[in-house]
Amino acid sequence: MGGSYCARVLLCGASGYVLVLLGGLVVSVVPESSAVGQLPVVGFLRETTLGRMVGLGVTVVGLGIAAATWLRLVRYVARTSAEAPDRLWLVRRATFTWCVPLLLAPAMFSRDGWSYAAQGELTRLGISPYVWGPSVLDGPIVEAVDPRWMDTPTPYGPVPLFWGALAASVSGDPWFLVVAHRLLALVGLVMLAYAVPRLASWAGRDGAAASALVLPSPLVLVHGVAGVHNDVLMAGLMALALVVAIENSWILGAVLGGAAAAVKLPGGLVCIGVALVSLPLLSSSLQRARRLAVVAGVAVAALIGAGMAAGVGVGWVHALGVPGEVQTPFSMTTQVGRLLDLVLGAVPVPLGLDLPEGTAVAALRWSGSATALLLAARVAFRARTRVPAAGVRAVALVMAALVALSPVVHHWYALWCVPLLATCRLGRRSAAVLLHLSWLLGVVAPLDSSLEGRGSTIAVGLLLVGGVAVALALGHRAATSDDRSSPRSTEGVAA
């Protein structure tokens, strides 16, 4: 393996994320009392529209460099003749190296990290975040919390709340608490680093190529590490649950499935895979139902136990509707429902139905969630049993359907399914979709919330992101068009 080439790849990717950090200090929302505003250059840039545009440009360029370097890494790992352990080591080293510039960054591309900090402080004080919102607090801890979530309870499980309370017992500084929550993302990354090669090997895939597609991808590093979202920890627990269920004990796998649900409730659906891989071949529907019931019981017990240990009980049940209070552009059911509402609203009342505004959106959202659950049940009773690859594929399919049909979909929800899909044997076209989705969702991250509704900044952001996206797509296509002969190229490099 070329040492100098690998060193350049590591350095180039790290340089991209250093730019992301520097730009993020300008465009990210931070507490007003934070020392960032007092930094000589950063403070000046944050106060002007031109300065924020410069910060946005630096961020997008950094993301472009990081994404382009990642694509080079994926191609290199797929095509080099080096041994599998060496290629896997390179992927893991790149992941760690590229994470370093992001570790001390503020919550980026979303203000959720500041909400996590406030919720941890609530838990430390013995105030249930499932009943109260951050608005009952005051001071720096709530200065950067998104106003829309100030009075809403949290829909997340007890694991991040417990960790947040532990961190808050050390320091009440919101920046410190965000960094502490970022450590949970690193724990999830470690779990994925352990589990992904094993899951891929059961499907006959190259573990190093699958790891390159997941671990250092812009999707994972931008939203999971920089964005401080709990979804990486949930994905790591899901992947580990499947590995443990296959290699060791399905009961322990069910416990880990409950732990995944204790981060975010959808993670509990991994229990379908845990049940499938633990059953005998050609199991009957009755056998499946019994095993699913037992696995679910163990997982629920683990979930309740985690809530009791954290001192918050099962109050999350009452807060599960909180995410549905917003309408996101990536939710297919929401957008189709809005279109139907417009059509119905244009129909004269004598010719149509005088329905309240939003009826179609509510109906499509409900039907989408119901369809996803029905699909999950169908997979649980139809997928092959005792076959590890089939169990992993079943969970990947269920999670992909859940994301596609969810009433609320953010960029980082792709983390629910992409790590598992990357371990499955995919056709060239499906692999291409997964590859391009992983870098595109990272590059467009600044468009999520950092622009704060400023028309000129939004226009500049769209142009920058669009230009970088086109350049990346064309560059990757040019780099792969002349060489499709590698035996691993269909796994790691898709045009």
Side-chain angles (χ1 to χ4, degrees):
M1 185 176 294
S4 61
Y5 177 83
C6 295
R8 288 198 302 272
V9 168
L10 295 177
L11 180 61
C12 190
S15 300
Y17 284 113
V18 167
L19 292 178
V20 171
L21 167 62
L22 295 177
L25 292 175
V26 176
V27 299
S28 297
V29 176
V30 299
E32 294 179 3
S33 57
S34 170
V36 168
Q38 306 303 318
L39 296 176
V41 178
V42 173
F44 171 75
L45 293 175
R46 288 180 61 87
E47 293 175 357
T48 64
T49 299
L50 178 60
R52 290 184 60 83
M53 287 185 178
V54 170
L56 178 61
V58 170
T59 302
V60 174
V61 169
L63 289 172
I65 293 172
T69 307
W70 172 69
L71 289 171
R72 289 171 58 194
L73 176 66
V74 170
R75 292 193 298 268
Y76 181 84
V77 170
R79 291 175 177 172
T80 183
S81 59
E83 295 296 325
D86 292 333
R87 291 184 290 114
L88 185 57
W89 168 245
L90 172 62
V91 170
R92 291 172 174 173
R93 186 180 175 189
T95 304
F96 172 78
T97 303
W98 297 353
C99 277
V100 170
L102 303 175
L103 295 182
L104 299 180
M108 298 183 66
F109 313 120
S110 166
R111 297 167 70 168
D112 286 1
W114 305 115
S115 293
Y116 301 160
Q119 290 154 6
E121 176 66 6
L122 286 173
T123 306
R124 184 189 71 84
L125 295 173
I127 303 172
S128 176
Y130 298 133
V131 177
W132 303 97
S135 63
V136 300
L137 302 173
D138 56 19
I141 194 69
V142 294
E143 289 177 351
V145 175
D146 194 321
R148 84 174 98 177
W149 304 128
M150 284 289 285
D151 296 302
T152 57
T154 177
Y156 303 123
V159 168
L161 296 181
F162 179 69
W163 177 255
L166 284 179
S169 67
V170 176
S171 172
D173 181 81
W175 203 302
F176 171 84
L177 297 178
V178 164
V179 173
H181 276 277
R182 192 168 275 129
L183 296 180
L184 288 183
L186 297 185
V187 171
L189 264 179
V190 171
M191 292 179 183
L192 287 173
Y194 173 81
V196 165
R198 288 165 171 78
L199 298 178
S201 67
W202 296 326
R205 282 216 56 191
D206 175 41
S211 296
L213 193 58
V214 176
L215 302 179
S217 74
L219 170 64
V220 172
L221 298 188
V222 170
H223 293 294
V225 180
V228 209
H229 293 292
N230 294 319
D231 305 74
V232 173
L233 179 61
M234 183 190 81
L237 285 167
M238 292 175 66
L240 186 61
L242 290 169
V243 170
V244 169
I246 294 167
E247 294 185 347
N248 298 284
S249 164
W250 64 265
I251 295 178
L252 183 55
V255 171
L256 290 170
V263 177
K264 297 185 79 167
L265 195 60
L269 288 173
V270 73
C271 291
I272 293 175
V274 171
L276 289 173
V277 299
S278 66
L279 283 164
L281 284 169
L282 304 177
S283 295
S284 66
S285 295
L286 181 58
Q287 288 176 306
R288 291 171 184 254
R290 287 175 176 171
R291 181 56 55 85
L292 284 165
V294 175
V295 169
V298 172
V300 169
L303 174 58
I304 293 174
M308 296 303 176
V312 294
V314 294
W316 50 268
V317 174
H318 306 293
L320 291 179
V322 169
E325 295 179 6
V326 298
Q327 294 187 8
T328 57
F330 290 112
S331 171
M332 180 176 62
T333 55
T334 296
Q335 298 310 316
V336 173
R338 293 178 66 180
L339 180 60
L340 287 176
D341 271 330
L342 289 174
V343 172
L344 293 174
V347 176
V349 173
L351 301 178
L353 299 174
D354 188 13
L355 298 175
E357 184 179 354
T359 298
V361 170
L364 265 292
R365 283 179 152 200
W366 182 91
S367 61
S369 299
T371 301
L373 293 177
L374 288 174
L375 177 61
R378 178 180 175 82
V379 168
F381 284 92
R382 291 294 184 88
R384 296 173 65 189
T385 56
R386 188 57 77 178
V387 179
V392 176
R393 187 168 58 248
V395 178
L397 175 62
V398 169
M399 298 306 292
L402 183 62
V403 173
L405 297 172
S406 177
V408 177
V409 180
H410 294 287
H411 299 139
W412 51 90
Y413 283 17
L415 290 166
W416 299 5
C417 57
V418 166
L420 294 178
L421 288 171
T423 67
C424 299
R425 182 165 289 280
L426 303 173
R428 176 172 290 276
R429 187 163 297 177
S430 298
V433 170
L434 201 63
L435 180 80
H436 291 296
L437 186 68
S438 294
W439 67 257
L440 182 60
L441 287 177
V443 170
V444 302
L447 300 180
D448 186 65
S449 62
S450 63
L451 305 189
E452 298 185 336
R454 294 179 173 87
S456 58
T457 313
I458 289 175
V460 171
L462 286 171
L463 290 173
L464 286 171
V465 169
V468 168
V470 170
L472 285 170
L474 293 177
H476 177 68
R477 186 173 184 83
T480 56
S481 61
D482 60 340
D483 183 7
R484 299 178 185 274
S485 60
S486 171
R488 284 191 296 267
S489 63
T490 58
E491 298 183 19
V493 184

